[in-house]
Each structure stands twice: as structure tokens, then as C-alpha cells.
Amino acid sequence: MHVEDLLRLESLDLTLLWGGPPLLAREISGVTATDLEDPGRFLQRGEIVLSGLVWWSAADEEGAADRFVTALRDAGAAALLAGEETHGTVPDVLVEACRRHGIALFSVPVHTSFRAITDTVYLRQWGDLSRRPAAPYALPENVRGELSRLLADGAAPDTLLTRAVAHLGTPPCHVLSATGRTIARTPTARALTAAQAAERLKAALRVDPDASAYGQWFLHLAGEVDVPPRMLHEIAEVFAQYRQGVLRREAAARGPATELLALLDTPGSGAAPLAAALRACGLPEQGPYTVVAVSMGAAGGEGAEALGEVLRHLPEQRFTVGRLAGGGAAAVIAADSGARDADVPDADAPDAVVSALKDLWPTLLACDETALPYGGVSAPAATPADLNGALVQARYALTAASRTAPAEGAHLTAIQDLTTLGALLAGVPTDVRTAFGIHALGPLADATNPSHRMLLETLDTFLAHNGSWARTAEALHLHVNTVHYRIRRVELLTGRDLGRLDHKLDLKAALLCR
């Protein structure tokens, strides 16, 4: 496919802003969408670049545009497709920068999505591949044609993979996800656990270089089979196209899921709307359900892709994943179909889901060490009416996970795990924790005062030793009278009586909230 072919695709409705015949004759090798001001290190030669121009502002209009287009030129980009949505039009300075650096420039109207452009280009490329002479390609022409027809007919991934390597004698071959989930395998390939698959990923070929760390797929062929590298890349391209179809279906399903979560976030939504939303997501109208909330921590991001990937390891469970209004993502998981068919709730199903998620969560951590997902899991929700409370629980457990994971390495916390005062308080919002600590500790909350730090240390040790004067003195290497004096000072400054259990609990909670 060539750059000029983009203008012939009426469905995209692109407008050429600048570019002569030599530039329009360039061949397109792929597509990259970016809003980085300097995307050069992520680009491949011959790619068209899609950008919403979020990086551009009038404050540094000429300099920013020049830096961006220079990066495209140096990387060998074939053309720039600039979206009109952010600024209403493509800035003139960007047109001039493309003219200076020799980059063809198209404007993308608001009603044309970048996903539509990406899908169109790759589908057109694959169609071209199946029609071209076989000389530049390693796959036989009849195999390319068959795979093209199978893709168009929506064939299963196992069928695609088997037919792709049939002319090689159908050797053992897998397509694996980044977490070790088997997406496809040939009849000669044995079933793999996630751990076994993870070992094979080290020697596997990435299916789609532009995919995220959690959405990446890998093609693995047994090492003893001698296959030309180009043939492997062509097979990978087939699954890149198949993966795009999967992504489109997932994106379509995310809309109803997000609407369901919005209802769960609104107490008193009503039984009828909840039932309709569950049906729209393909979920049953009776429980039990489990709700899982996820966030990507300091790295940001909604986490829907990571959560969906780990849940696909549980084929016996029906689930839906959507975005949360306040950020992050969540899933509603239904009990297995066997229990529902028998019309008898399976009390062990939610516990099995929690156990499975805890076993699988480390596979997400292995995907991307710079964006570690945190998760919170609710207690079972028996009916749709209980789902609102389940979402609240999942969010609370998520907050606890994000606070305790750096110390404990858990990253996934179930509401059932909050069995101590410290674990319970970990889920309290930061502002609430801070306010409680300040009011309960009084002047001692000012830890910048050396005297106050000393009293807080004594209080912490005193409570840790169950109010024992002797053991506190021994632990701090103090005389017992000194401990008595310091505790009296704590009581005076906080207005609490450490002879009372409730006051001890108040101060212990305040220390945990610091």
C-alpha cells in the first residue's frame, strides 16, 4: 500500500494538506499512533504516523512543530496524519514544518477514528500480500491466499495457526499472550501452563510490535524446526490482523461494561436497569458475583487491558471489564454456568476466583515493571442489588493494596484479607487518614518537634508491648519512671487515658494513619 492510496479511501475522508507525487508514491510499512513531542525512537522506517497533536501548543508553536516533524523525517516516516479534534484544525506551522522537512501531511476529520485508519491500512496490506507474486515472500502463495480467506471468514486462531504451518508438516507451534495464556496451538503442540509458556516467550517472536506490554502476543515455533525468518514474520502478521479484530470486539464490549459500572456507582439505580445492563454485558441476572477493581498506580492508565488479560485465564468464568468514572477499571465476574444451570448457587466459586487471581497476578507484574497493576477484590455479591456494595469493597481493597504492596509485594488484596486494624486502615482515603491522625494525636502530630518524636516512639512501643511498663522500659533502654513520665505527657497532650482500651485503640489507629 502506498501513501497516495489513503486519498482513495472515501471512508476515511482524509484531506491532503501537503505532499508531492514522490512522497505520495512511498510505500507504507505500518502505522504508529503517538502524541509524544519526540516520537523518533518508537518509529520504524516507512510507517505513517497518526497524531492528535496533544503535544502542540501556541506558546511554542514553531519550535514544537519543527521538533516533531524532524523526528519523523529522521526516522524515515512515510507521512503524518494529523487529527483535527484537539485544535479544530491542523496548525499552519505544522504544514510549513512538513513542507520544509519533506513529510506528506494529511488532516484527519473528527468523525474518522485512528483505529479505523489503522485497521484499514493493515487489512489493505494483508489483501495486497495475498495477491502479490510469491518471490519476495517465504509463505507459499496458496497458503497466503488460504490464510487471507480464513481471516475474512472469522476462523478460530487454532485453525489459522494450523493452516499457516501445515506445509511444514504441522510442527508444534503456539501463539501466547504476554501473561502466558495460550491463544492458539497446533494439534501437535502440548498444552502449557502459564509458567511454562512464560519460559517460551523469551525465544518467541512478537506478533504486533505496537501492542502494549499487557496486550502483546507472541509466536513460538519449536527450536528444532528450520523456518525462514521471513516466514515467521508473515505468520505473525496474520495474527496481528486477527488480534486487531479481537481488539475491536473488546472495545465494543467495553461500552456496555462501563455503563454497568456507572449504574453500580450510583446507589439506588433500580432492579430493572441493573438487570438490563447485566444482560447487555452477557452476564446472568442472578449471583453470586465478584467485583475486581484495578489501577496502574503512579504510572497512570485505566488498567482495563491488564485486568481483561488476567481474567481470560479463567475460561469457566463469565466477566465484563469497563472503565470507572473516577479513573481505573473494574470487572464484574459471574459464577460459573454449571452452578447456574443447576439453579444452585456455588458458594465456593467466588473463593476460587480470588485464589486464581492471586496465583495469576504475578504474571501481570512480569509484563511491565514500570507500570505495576494494583487490584482489589470484593466479597461475593449474592444479588444484583449487592453489586453497589461490592464495588465499594473492591475499591477499598484496591486502596489497601496500593498502600501495602511496596512493603509486602502483594499488589492484589481481597476484602477478606483485611483482618487486622492496620490492613483495614490501609484502605481509608489518605485525606481521611491524615485528618484522623492530626485530631487524635493533637500536638504530637507535629513530628518535626524532636520532643514529640520521642513521645511518639514511646507511645508506639508502649502499645506494642500491651501497655507493659517494664517491657517498654526494657525495649527503649529507659528507667520505668521515665516511661511513666513520657506516657503521662502523651495523655496530657492528646487528652486520652491510656488506661482505657478504647483510647488505646484510638491512639494505635492514629499511629497507623501517619
Side-chain angles (χ1 to χ4, degrees):
M1 184 177 185
H2 298 84
V3 173
E4 61 188 352
D5 293 331
L6 296 170
L7 291 172
R8 301 191 183 102
L9 300 172
E10 295 182 3
S11 61
L12 299 183
D13 195 21
L14 303 180
T15 301
L16 177 64
L17 299 181
W18 187 84
L23 295 177
L24 297 179
R26 295 189 65 179
E27 187 167 0
I28 297 172
S29 65
V31 184
T32 288
T34 181
D35 268 311
L36 296 174
E37 186 174 342
D38 183 5
R41 64 187 184 279
F42 300 107
L43 304 180
Q44 301 293 324
R45 181 165 295 278
E47 289 184 323
I48 61 171
V49 178
L50 309 179
S51 178
L53 307 184
V54 175
W55 50 268
W56 183 83
S57 68
D60 184 26
E61 54 178 25
E62 187 171 351
D66 193 75
R67 286 191 295 273
F68 184 82
V69 179
T70 298
L72 269 57
R73 180 202 63 196
D74 293 345
L80 170 62
L81 277 63
E84 298 177 345
E85 183 172 6
T86 303
H87 303 289
T89 185
V90 177
D92 291 338
V93 291
L94 185 60
V95 179
E96 289 304 314
C98 288
R99 191 189 307 274
R100 285 196 305 272
H101 296 291
I103 297 291
L105 175 63
F106 296 78
S107 64
V108 182
V110 174
H111 58 265
T112 300
S113 70
F114 284 179
R115 174 64 69 189
I117 297 173
T118 301
D119 290 352
T120 300
V121 169
Y122 280 121
L123 286 172
R124 175 71 176 269
Q125 281 186 319
W126 180 248
D128 290 346
L129 176 65
S130 66
R131 291 190 294 270
R132 290 179 182 177
Y137 302 97
L139 275 176
E141 186 174 0
N142 66 313
V143 175
R144 294 200 311 276
E146 180 184 14
L147 293 178
S148 182
R149 289 191 297 273
L150 289 172
L151 270 175
D153 293 341
D158 284 347
T159 302
L160 280 173
L161 185 59
T162 300
R163 297 310 304 157
V165 299
H167 65 289
L168 301 173
T170 318
C173 189
H174 295 84
V175 175
L176 307 167
S177 75
T179 62
R181 180 172 56 91
T182 298
I183 295 159
R185 62 185 174 104
T186 57
T188 54
R190 66 188 182 91
L192 301 175
T193 65
Q196 291 169 334
E199 287 299 313
R200 285 161 173 76
L201 295 182
K202 300 172 184 176
L205 175 66
R206 289 175 180 266
V207 163
D208 186 353
D210 293 329
S212 73
Y214 302 105
Q216 186 59 260
W217 289 4
F218 296 83
L219 174 66
H220 182 269
L221 196 63
E224 63 271 13
V225 180
D226 187 16
V227 181
R230 177 56 191 161
M231 184 178 293
L232 286 177
H233 281 279
E234 288 183 53
I235 296 172
E237 287 172 8
V238 174
F239 277 91
Q241 295 305 313
Y242 180 84
R243 179 179 172 275
Q244 290 301 319
V246 172
L247 291 177
R248 286 192 294 272
R249 291 190 292 274
E250 290 175 1
R254 203 160 292 159
T258 299
E259 292 177 8
L260 171 62
L261 292 175
L263 282 175
L264 303 190
D265 223 358
T266 308
S269 295
L274 268 179
L278 287 167
R279 287 195 301 272
C281 294
L283 297 179
E285 297 177 42
Q286 61 182 30
Y289 309 95
T290 301
V291 177
V292 183
V294 66
S295 75
M296 304 306 292
E302 63 184 29
E305 189 173 39
L307 181 55
E309 169 58 30
V310 77
L311 288 175
R312 288 184 189 92
H313 282 269
L314 309 174
E316 71 281 2
Q317 304 294 335
R318 280 202 270 174
F319 66 88
T320 189
V321 179
R323 301 179 180 90
L324 290 168
V332 177
I333 308 169
D336 65 87
S337 58
R340 289 193 303 273
D341 291 342
D343 201 28
V344 177
D346 185 353
D348 295 331
D351 290 338
V353 168
V354 173
S355 178
L357 286 174
K358 287 187 175 182
D359 289 340
L360 290 166
W361 213 257
T363 65
L364 288 177
L365 305 183
C367 290
D368 187 354
E369 294 182 356
T370 65
L372 302 179
Y374 298 96
V377 188
S378 75
T383 68
D386 299 323
L387 281 170
N388 171 261
L391 178 57
V392 172
Q393 292 176 8
R395 278 177 161 155
Y396 196 94
L398 170 60
T399 303
S402 64
R403 289 210 175 96
T404 59
E408 300 178 10
H411 289 89
L412 179 71
T413 297
I415 200 72
Q416 297 94 321
D417 297 332
L418 305 182
T419 57
T420 67
L421 179 61
L424 180 66
L425 292 173
V428 175
T430 301
D431 292 345
V432 177
R433 289 164 55 93
T434 301
F436 176 77
I438 290 173
H439 286 89
L441 292 174
L444 292 182
D446 179 16
T448 60
N449 185 314
S451 175
H452 292 174
R453 287 200 302 271
M454 175 190 66
L455 293 176
L456 287 173
E457 179 188 15
T458 304
L459 172 62
D460 196 13
T461 306
F462 181 73
L463 294 174
H465 288 84
N466 300 315
S468 169
W469 305 99
R471 280 184 288 166
T472 301
E474 182 180 358
L476 294 174
H477 306 289
L478 298 172
H479 193 279
V480 173
N481 289 344
T482 304
V483 175
H484 276 278
Y485 169 76
R486 290 184 180 180
I487 293 300
R488 282 197 298 272
R489 288 283 298 160
V490 168
E491 291 176 325
L492 179 64
L493 291 171
T494 62
R496 308 282 172 155
D497 179 1
L498 284 167
R500 292 177 51 176
L501 177 60
D502 56 339
H503 285 195
K504 286 180 181 178
L505 288 174
D506 290 343
L507 292 179
K508 180 63 177 179
L511 291 173
L512 291 170
C513 285
R514 286 189 301 162

